[in-house]
Amino acid sequence: MSRATKVVLAYSGGVDTSVCIPYLKNEWGVKEVITLAADLGQGDELEGVRKKALDSGAVESLVIDVIEPLIKEYAFPAIQANALYENRYPLATALARPLIAKILVDAAEKYGADAIAHGCTGKGNDQVRFDVAIAALNPKIKILAPAREWGMSREETIAYGEKYGIPAPVKKSSPYSIDKNLLGMAIEAGELEDPWVEAPEEVYNMTKAIADTPNEPEYVEIGFEGGIPVSLNGEGMGGIELITKLNQIAGSHGVGRIDMIENRLVGIKSREIYESPAMWVLIQAHRDLESLTLTADVTRYKRGIEETYSQLVYNGLWFSPLKGALDAFIQQTQERVTGVVRVKLFKGSAMVVGRQSGNSLYSFDLATYGAEDEFDHKAAEGFIYVWGLPTRVWSEKLRGE
Ligand code: ARG
């Protein structure tokens, strides 16, 4: 029985997604497979990928450049939200998935496809992100995930592909599962599955080993307008250029490496290595500028929102009513987050060492211990009496006074 007639398949050019093409046609009775490869700044040569899909039996092979929307519509809001999953992971993979889902749905609608397919297995977060985002954008479209059902080992998958003219990978395939885009890199599997084993240097791609980083610190100045990074070292630039340059600069100082055990939505703990130099620095800098420009109560309240926001993004709920409501809150807070932050990059650390803003709420006259002090010291006494009153009453009661 045919599962669908015309399918748009999320395509990377790798073995799994290539095998999906003959598999969908021969096992699941699909008539036409249209592949879609997203250019997310991962640096792969996508013309070869486009051709490979056609050679593997696709009727149409789309390659769509979405680097600009990845930065503007996904990375910038995530920076404004200081989004770090479990306080560490800057969500590079998680942010790209709803964007890929969106262009898959657009293509399915344009080409009149009745289903969308992807190559995710049943153990990860990405299947959840794709399936839920697609359902949110067009609940009528069927979702097919061959690799979730086919039960083939790596060797069997390669053999299946060879039967249909898909060449086995030429180089000895890497033991790692890697996902990459301009925002960062995620590396898992292989020897990393032992949480005690240190990741070998060869897994890192965007960051230098500390032993190889410069012995002098480097300072970068990041300018923000309304919570969005707009300049680097005084030079105004668009998001793609800024993130590309900052990845390079911060990465050369070994900044942005993360080695963590994380909780997947599907209940599994996994060991992840991430590299996300620019996002890491931008979030540190942005959070610092908020401390300067937002009131104490907004800053603190927002920290709770950020935690929920990061979980929603990680858990595939980018297109959801709660996420929309949190976006509205975050946007409202960003209007005054304008200024410049100075970050010192040295031996793997990115430390904010200076910040300034026309909207700064820092008052020298109130903060100073010098002669210019304008703070009313006497007012502190009455404040402390009222502030401490409940504690005083409690203590008296306890002592039977
Ligand atoms: N654990 C990370 C996440 O859920 C990275 C996933 C990487 N995906 C991949 N297909 N290798 O966002």
Side-chain angles (χ1 to χ4, degrees):
M1 201 199 65
S2 163
R3 299 247 194 142
T5 307
K6 195 190 269 195
V7 171
V8 177
L9 167 70
Y11 188 67
S12 70
V15 174
D16 288 323
T17 55
S18 294
V19 167
C20 281
I21 302 172
Y23 194 91
L24 284 166
K25 297 202 304 189
N26 298 309
E27 315 300 325
W28 287 4
V30 171
K31 295 264 169 318
E32 292 181 10
V33 177
I34 298 165
T35 59
L36 191 162
D39 187 350
L40 298 154
Q42 63 269 49
D44 291 344
E45 198 272 294
L46 289 174
E47 189 43 42
V49 170
R50 202 187 73 77
K51 191 167 169 301
K52 185 164 183 199
L54 296 172
D55 293 345
S56 307
V59 286
E60 179 94 51
S61 177
L62 310 168
V63 173
I64 304 181
D65 178 342
V66 281
I67 308 178
E68 180 97 21
L70 175 67
I71 302 303
K72 285 203 174 140
E73 294 164 35
Y74 295 82
F76 283 174
I79 292 165
Q80 292 178 312
N82 300 317
L84 294 174
Y85 180 66
E86 296 184 339
N87 281 320
R88 288 196 278 175
Y89 164 38
L91 293 163
T93 297
L95 288 166
R97 292 301 179 263
L99 171 57
I100 299 170
K102 186 166 179 298
I103 57 175
L104 287 167
V105 169
D106 289 347
E109 289 171 351
K110 181 172 165 201
Y111 288 88
D114 53 336
I116 288 172
H118 60 70
C120 300
T121 67
K123 288 178 78 172
N125 297 310
D126 289 332
Q127 52 165 348
V128 182
R129 296 169 185 150
F130 279 136
D131 290 14
V132 176
I134 292 163
L137 294 169
N138 187 339
K140 288 208 175 69
I141 295 181
K142 276 183 268 187
I143 299 162
L144 305 179
R148 201 154 55 191
E149 296 181 36
W150 66 31
M152 293 189 280
S153 67
R154 178 96 188 147
E155 294 70 31
E156 288 164 345
T157 309
I158 292 171
Y160 185 96
E162 283 185 306
K163 221 166 62 181
Y164 293 98
I166 295 164
V170 272
K171 41 181 202 271
K172 195 177 156 299
S173 64
S174 141
Y176 308 109
S177 163
I178 293 168
D179 183 66
K180 188 172 188 232
N181 63 50
L182 190 61
L183 306 179
M185 192 154 166
I187 309 127
E188 50 195 30
E191 64 199 295
L192 305 175
E193 285 175 357
D194 181 346
W196 180 248
V197 170
E198 183 176 357
E201 201 49 46
E202 73 196 35
V203 309
Y204 295 103
N205 195 277
M206 303 174 78
T207 56
K208 277 240 172 80
I210 300 300
D212 301 329
T213 60
N215 290 322
E216 293 298 318
E218 180 170 354
Y219 293 84
V220 285
E221 289 185 9
I222 300 156
F224 289 88
E225 254 170 46
I228 290 170
V230 293
S231 70
L232 187 61
N233 294 328
E235 190 190 334
M237 62 182 77
I240 299 178
E241 189 185 357
L242 192 147
I243 290 186
T244 306
K245 284 198 167 143
L246 194 54
N247 270 335
Q248 198 277 320
I249 299 172
S252 74
H253 288 275
V255 167
R257 283 189 179 189
I258 298 140
D259 177 339
M260 67 189 280
I261 302 294
E262 85 187 19
N263 293 292
R264 287 191 192 164
L265 178 60
V266 294
I268 301 169
K269 279 193 191 295
S270 65
R271 200 286 184 83
E272 303 281 338
I273 301 290
Y274 296 113
E275 292 182 285
S276 224
M279 287 297 279
W280 183 260
V281 173
L282 289 170
I283 290 172
Q284 305 305 322
H286 175 266
R287 190 163 42 194
D288 193 274
L289 188 59
E290 284 189 332
S291 301
L292 188 68
T293 55
L294 301 183
T295 56
D297 55 354
V298 172
T299 309
R300 287 184 199 133
Y301 195 83
K302 185 168 178 286
R303 296 296 173 252
I305 299 282
E306 291 166 357
E307 175 72 29
T308 309
Y309 179 99
S310 306
Q311 284 173 23
L312 290 178
V313 173
Y314 185 87
N315 291 338
L317 296 174
W318 181 271
F319 301 111
S320 69
L322 179 55
K323 162 73 170 37
L326 299 189
D327 279 335
F329 173 88
I330 293 167
Q331 284 314 306
Q332 171 74 30
T333 63
Q334 294 302 292
E335 202 184 320
R336 312 237 347 131
V337 186
T338 294
V340 181
V341 181
R342 195 155 182 259
V343 185
K344 180 179 180 175
L345 306 169
F346 188 53
K347 297 287 176 200
S349 98
M351 186 170 166
V352 174
V353 294
R355 66 290 278 164
Q356 60 180 25
S357 167
N359 300 331
S360 172
L361 300 177
Y362 178 90
S363 163
F364 175 80
D365 294 342
L366 287 176
T368 183
Y369 288 100
E372 302 90 336
D373 185 8
E374 282 180 4
F375 184 77
D376 181 353
H377 288 240
K378 281 209 305 298
E381 195 182 325
F383 165 73
I384 296 164
Y385 173 74
V386 175
W387 170 249
L389 195 55
T391 309
R392 178 181 295 272
V393 170
W394 163 79
S395 177
E396 285 169 357
K397 185 77 193 170
L398 205 67
R399 281 153 223 277
E401 284 167 16

